[in-house]
Amino acid sequence: MALGDSGFHRIAYTEWGQPTNPHTVVCVHGLARNSRDFDFLAAALTPDCRVMCMDVVGRGESDWLDNKSEYTFSTNQSDAAAMLARAGAPVPGNLLQRLRGHDKHRLDWVGTSMGGLIGMFLAAKRNSPIRRLVLNDVGALIPWSALFRMKGYIRRGRRFTSVAKVEAYLREVCAPFGPLTDEQWHHLARHGARQSEDGAYVLRYDPAIADGLHGHIDREFPMGPDVLRGIDLWNVWSKLTCPVLVLRGAQSEVLLPRTLQEMRKRKPDVEIVEFEGVGHAPALMSEEQIAVVKKFLLK
């Protein structure tokens, strides 16, 4: 359970691996996606890690909010902090224990698009428990044009007569994910929709999440000098001290090459990997993409 302005709401998550494993990886999905996007990555990580994949409120199996104005970044951060507590985040600042090797708990974050932004905000906060951060096709500046294009995918009242129709739709709007196998497209469709009482299939998110993209800036987003070009998070980026891996689809319109160059200039130790034939965002289902993430997290 998590607490919002109007009361408590339920946050669901999918868990993989042993709860006693001291290395936990929290995975958070993109704007209109859900936790099951990470099934392939989680399966590859579980021999070494405990993996917890969160459904952001209004998506997947998590509650839909009655007060739609609470679909904000502030709510998402508060819910994610509760998720970190559920994951057993290590107590920050216990330097003596760490030096003695007694504090072996490690908590890492993998975030796609919106999930990456949530992780970046949390990792930038004082005493953050996040040890390593993976940003999947998102960075310190999100162009307004890309944001409003994503809003277009969240179509109100979209209904389908079968899972096959859901899959056909996802193959079209999620084509920038890159080349996926038939099995992977089936997986996205099966977990991306639910059957309503009248038998129709609807996408597994509250269409009201699009209300937060109608032109206003979330109060959590700082007003930086690049605000005319997009959501300016350079101030947040400058506060990160943990190791960061940035993944980019080579054809992404969300994470632009010049943004990536500036991110590297301000944080020279950032690791960057680009994937050809992919836009926004890499699905983290292929062996190549999974291997890159796994190598970074297991360092």
Side-chain angles (χ1 to χ4, degrees), residues 141-157:
L141 182 74
I142 300 92
W144 291 120
S145 57
L147 185 65
F148 292 126
R149 244 188 309 276
M150 284 188 285
K151 170 199 162 187
Y153 300 153
I154 308 174
R155 301 181 182 180
R156 296 179 181 279

Side-chain angles (χ1 to χ4, degrees), residues 47 83 197:
M83 188 72 206
E197 292 182 358

Side-chain angles (χ1 to χ4, degrees), residues 29-52:
H29 57 79
L31 182 64
R33 301 300 309 155
N34 63 73
S35 63
R36 303 305 299 271
D37 284 6
F38 295 104
D39 281 7
F40 291 83
L41 175 64
L45 290 175
T46 46
D48 303 286
C49 312
R50 173 194 186 197
V51 183
M52 302 179 72

Side-chain angles (χ1 to χ4, degrees), residues 20-24 88-91 94 97-107 131:
T20 55
N21 193 316
H23 186 183
T24 301
V91 177
N94 199 339
Q97 279 198 350
R98 291 180 182 177
L99 289 174
R100 291 175 174 172
H102 300 319
D103 183 6
K104 298 184 181 300
H105 193 105
R106 303 185 302 282
L107 193 148
R131 181 191 70 119

Side-chain angles (χ1 to χ4, degrees), residues 162-222:
S162 66
V163 175
K165 292 291 181 64
V166 173
E167 181 178 329
Y169 171 75
L170 292 179
R171 283 177 180 258
E172 176 185 351
V173 300
C174 298
F177 286 7
L180 302 182
T181 66
D182 287 342
E183 176 195 357
Q184 290 164 350
W185 283 118
H186 297 340
H187 179 89
L188 292 178
R190 186 168 64 254
H191 295 291
R194 61 176 177 82
Q195 194 168 19
S196 58
E197 292 182 358
D198 63 3
Y201 290 86
V202 294
L203 298 175
R204 202 179 287 271
Y205 62 80
D206 185 349
I209 62 176
D211 293 347
L213 303 176
H214 285 172
H216 74 272
I217 301 175
D218 194 294
R219 64 186 180 186
E220 286 293 310
F221 294 148

